[in-house]
Amino acid sequence: SNCLIKSAVTYSETTDWAAEEDGVYYFRTSDNALCRWDGETVETLLPPGEFHGEYLHAENGVLFYSDMEAFGLFAYEVATGLSETIVDYHDLRSLRRGHPAFWWADEEGYYFLGIQQEGTYRIWHTDADGQNIEGQNVPERWWGDVEGWEDYPSALESVSAITGDSLVCITESGDVGLYNYTTEEWETLLEADGEPYGDPIGFQDGKLIFPQGDSLYWSVDPETGEKKFFVRLDDPALRLEAVQGETVYVVRTEAGSDIFGWYGDAAFSPIGRAGKTLCQVGEVIFVTGPSDELFTDREVIDLTGDPVDGRISEYAVLSNGTVYRLYAAP
């Protein structure tokens, strides 16, 4: 059956608009077209305005995606251009429109994490055929176990990632916990201790990278809870944007602008002016913004055939510093 590798999937409110299979990338543009990039050429599969997919996953020539406009989970066969509804979201009782529905799968079936009408998180589960839907509420409140605060309830602030069978949750007080959706049990992973933790920004060697406060970042093993120092940023203008493997992307704010680049050996290496980061697939970051503002001081491999005239364009930034311009809005 089609399945996602759960340990490699990250859920966040900035939805994943790209996926990769065998070196071929599929991405949604800012004007809602669907494109295919094989490293050398770009093909528009669906024209602007016709694709609203989120949380893309490519497997065996089929693109799976969640669509909150058409309100369902769909499978798009690239070779034929035909699509099939896997799950109709109208069958997910009380799923709220206007909020992304993150999904993943295993041999047992499909899972969906979404927000209900009353604003609480819920997980729905189907069988491998997308039938027999069941649901469970993610607990609204986290009962802390810090000494002296046994009865202090901390509300669930966000569900930001998934690792193994557990959702990574941030509480209102800045603690981090794991909610195992198979056993429905909570486990405290990190206690804020005055400085709140933020949503994880990626994985490195199977460990989650968490920001704490304005300058500290920690590497945490979700299996053992072991926490190790990752980096402290002494420059208040810097913030880590994403971590994937050995690649650490960072943004520096200067003179009112954000500069996108890498961080390594305690140094910032600029790539170009930061636009809106659509998503990260492996060590490739997809970025969108005006073509006359982004990466103007860097050599760009332009695959669009369109002039650099300020139109909104999609770029791919590789971990070796190569920048591709993939698409320019009509």
Side-chain angles (χ1 to χ4, degrees):
S1 63
N2 296 302
C3 62
L4 294 178
I5 302 173
K6 292 181 288 183
S7 62
V9 177
T10 298
Y11 168 83
S12 70
E13 292 300 322
T14 55
T15 57
D16 289 331
W17 284 18
E20 181 268 341
E21 183 183 23
D22 297 332
V24 176
Y25 292 83
Y26 303 91
F27 64 95
R28 171 182 164 185
T29 68
S30 56
D31 60 353
N32 298 323
L34 173 63
C35 294
R36 175 185 183 273
W37 171 44
D38 62 8
E40 296 182 357
T41 60
V42 178
E43 176 187 4
T44 300
L45 301 176
L46 294 173
E50 293 194 11
F51 184 70
H52 299 91
E54 302 171 322
Y55 302 117
L56 278 57
H57 173 70
E59 187 174 300
N60 298 326
V62 178
L63 185 66
F64 298 84
Y65 60 91
S66 176
D67 188 329
M68 297 306 286
E69 295 283 332
F71 217 53
L73 175 69
F74 296 89
Y76 173 85
E77 190 174 50
V78 177
T80 64
L82 299 176
S83 63
E84 175 187 358
T85 303
I86 304 297
V87 175
D88 185 337
Y89 285 172
H90 291 93
D91 296 332
L92 304 184
R93 184 176 59 84
S94 76
L95 175 63
R96 180 189 288 185
R97 284 184 176 271
H99 292 264
F102 175 61
W103 70 280
W104 66 98
D106 59 18
E107 291 78 9
E108 302 299 323
Y110 297 92
Y111 296 81
F112 303 87
L113 172 66
I115 296 178
Q116 301 182 96
Q117 301 293 347
E118 60 269 28
T120 58
Y121 286 99
R122 186 175 178 83
I123 299 171
W124 293 265
H125 175 245
T126 77
D127 60 23
D129 295 322
Q131 304 297 316
N132 301 317
I133 298 172
E134 299 178 351
Q136 62 175 272
N137 289 329
V138 178
E140 293 181 51
R141 307 195 77 81
W142 180 286
W143 295 89
D145 55 6
V146 180
E147 183 178 356
W149 295 89
E150 289 87 355
D151 297 325
Y152 180 78
S154 182
L156 181 62
E157 179 72 18
S158 67
V159 178
S160 54
I162 179 171
T163 179
D165 290 339
S166 295
L167 303 177
V168 180
C169 304
I170 308 294
T171 73
E172 195 175 60
S173 59
D175 293 341
V176 179
L178 300 179
Y179 174 67
N180 189 305
Y181 58 86
T182 60
T183 64
E184 301 186 34
E185 295 178 339
W186 285 101
E187 175 190 353
T188 299
L189 189 62
L190 297 170
E191 296 174 355
D193 192 25
E195 284 285 346
Y197 290 94
D199 292 334
I201 58 173
F203 288 87
Q204 188 179 82
D205 298 327
K207 299 176 178 59
L208 288 160
I209 309 302
F210 287 93
Q212 184 183 28
D214 296 327
S215 61
L216 279 176
Y217 295 82
W218 299 94
S219 171
V220 182
D221 188 329
E223 295 292 329
T224 66
E226 181 183 14
K227 182 177 80 169
K228 292 184 177 180
F229 176 73
F230 187 69
V231 72
R232 178 193 292 273
L233 299 180
D234 295 324
D235 184 349
L238 288 177
R239 72 176 187 274
L240 298 193
E241 182 80 359
V243 176
Q244 180 67 36
E246 297 303 313
T247 305
V248 180
Y249 290 101
V250 67
V251 169
R252 183 176 70 192
T253 301
E254 55 182 45
S257 296
D258 286 341
I259 306 300
F260 185 66
W262 304 288
Y263 188 83
D265 298 324
F268 171 74
S269 300
I271 298 175
R273 181 173 172 182
K276 177 183 178 182
T277 301
L278 290 179
C279 67
Q280 179 177 1
V281 181
E283 295 190 357
V284 177
I285 291 276
F286 287 83
V287 178
T288 185
S291 60
D292 59 349
E293 295 182 10
L294 302 190
F295 310 113
T296 53
D297 296 329
R298 192 175 193 87
E299 182 179 353
V300 174
I301 300 174
D302 198 328
L303 302 180
T304 69
D306 293 308
V308 176
D309 56 5
R311 72 182 72 186
I312 300 298
S313 299
E314 320 296 334
Y315 295 85
V317 181
L318 278 58
S319 60
N320 64 5
T322 304
V323 179
Y324 288 87
R325 185 181 180 219
L326 303 177
Y327 177 88

